[in-house]
Amino acid sequence: MITLDRTEKFGKGLHREVFVHPDNAALCIKVVTNGNQQETKREQGYYQQLQKRNIAWDLLPKFHGNIETSLGPGAVFDVIRDPNGKICQTLEHYLADKDFIANNQQQLQTALIELREYLLKYHIMSMAMKPKNMLYQLSKDGAGKLFIIDNIGNSDFFPICNYVHFFADQKIVRRWDRFIAKLEL
Ligand SMILES: Nc1ncnc2c1ncn2[C@@H]1O[C@H](COP(=O)(O)OP(=O)(O)O)[C@@H](O)[C@H]1O
Ligand SMILES: [Mg+2]
């Protein structure tokens, strides 16, 4: 049983609070604080498929299983940090900084292209791509990488896309185009 201290959470979404693993700073623990475990189950089912397919975890934090915590069941993932050790900020955070965006146009465009290629290479779907569910990792030379941290998978009742890569790719491109159109970079 891992004891988590609410004051030490570093991330919060609509459903989960996120903590650095007290025994391993390379990991984070996500605990559902608003809602039930339904979405967690769906997400982990999709992660299991990706694990079976043996994908590379280049731009998606690896899932390390579940543990009991003082705040209830916790899901353990890699925590994404900048090279200086700071936990990465979301793309949403950077989008609010107009100067940053102006000074990092090229790097951001490259990171976007790389994320799109990664998702298509491994046929990784997202139910809706949103800047708040992506992390922008800044490297020392100013280049950036975009990670998807939430909302991956498929909520279709008959998830044929999980089995036929061609259909998955169509969906990935459609959702990607929607995401890019909204970004207005
Ligand atoms: N693997 C991770 N590495 C670093 N920060 C993360 C990671 N996962 C989540 N976060 C942070 O925690 C916040 C909430 O996590 P998220 O998984 O999106 O929760 P929710 O399901 O409630 O939306 C994110 O916006 C991000 O700031
Ligand atoms: Mg989220």
Side-chain angles (χ1 to χ4, degrees):
M1 164 84 132
I2 302 261
T3 305
L4 294 176
D5 181 348
R6 264 236 155 77
T7 61
E8 283 184 27
K9 71 159 186 266
F10 71 83
K12 185 171 170 36
L14 284 179
H15 303 108
R16 300 183 285 190
E17 292 184 4
V18 190
F19 302 80
V20 175
H21 194 304
D23 303 331
N24 184 346
L27 302 175
C28 64
I29 305 176
K30 298 194 183 189
V31 181
V32 176
T33 50
N34 178 22
N36 57 31
Q37 298 294 326
Q38 190 93 13
E39 170 52 23
T40 299
K41 276 196 197 134
R42 192 205 54 73
E43 176 180 70
Q44 295 187 3
Y46 194 70
Y47 258 98
Q48 251 171 23
Q49 289 187 32
L50 298 180
Q51 282 160 350
K52 267 195 218 138
R53 281 203 255 131
N54 221 354
I55 69 154
W57 304 95
D58 296 343
L59 300 178
L60 184 67
K62 201 169 176 177
F63 172 58
H64 296 277
N66 295 300
I67 48 165
E68 275 309 311
T69 81
S70 51
L71 302 175
V76 182
F77 293 88
D78 282 341
V79 59
I80 311 299
R81 294 176 184 271
D82 290 332
N84 62 13
K86 258 189 68 187
I87 295 172
C88 294
Q89 300 280 2
T90 63
L91 177 59
E92 182 180 55
H93 167 92
Y94 285 110
L95 288 174
D97 183 344
K98 297 287 174 246
D99 288 339
F100 180 89
I101 297 301
N103 295 328
N104 291 268
Q105 270 287 343
Q106 198 52 53
Q107 292 87 338
L108 257 165
Q109 295 292 355
T110 306
L112 284 166
I113 290 168
E114 279 172 8
L115 179 60
R116 184 181 185 275
E117 278 173 4
Y118 171 75
L119 297 176
L120 285 171
K121 178 171 182 186
Y122 295 109
H123 318 290
I124 301 167
M125 284 184 285
S126 165
M127 297 188 292
M129 272 174 247
K130 293 182 186 152
K132 68 174 175 184
N133 289 325
M134 293 180 186
L135 296 182
Y136 190 64
Q137 184 188 54
L138 266 169
S139 69
K140 290 209 170 78
D141 62 5
K145 269 191 194 179
L146 278 168
F147 289 77
I148 292 212
I149 48 157
D150 186 19
N151 244 338
I152 63 152
N154 189 354
S155 55
D156 293 352
F157 192 68
F158 295 110
I160 187 167
C161 297
N162 294 1
Y163 305 98
V164 184
H165 291 335
F166 173 76
F167 292 131
D169 292 351
Q170 279 188 328
K171 217 168 225 186
I172 293 165
V173 169
R174 224 165 31 233
R175 297 212 166 125
W176 183 266
D177 290 348
R178 226 174 275 163
F179 161 62
I180 294 293
K182 271 200 194 149
L183 262 189
E184 294 178 340
L185 271 182

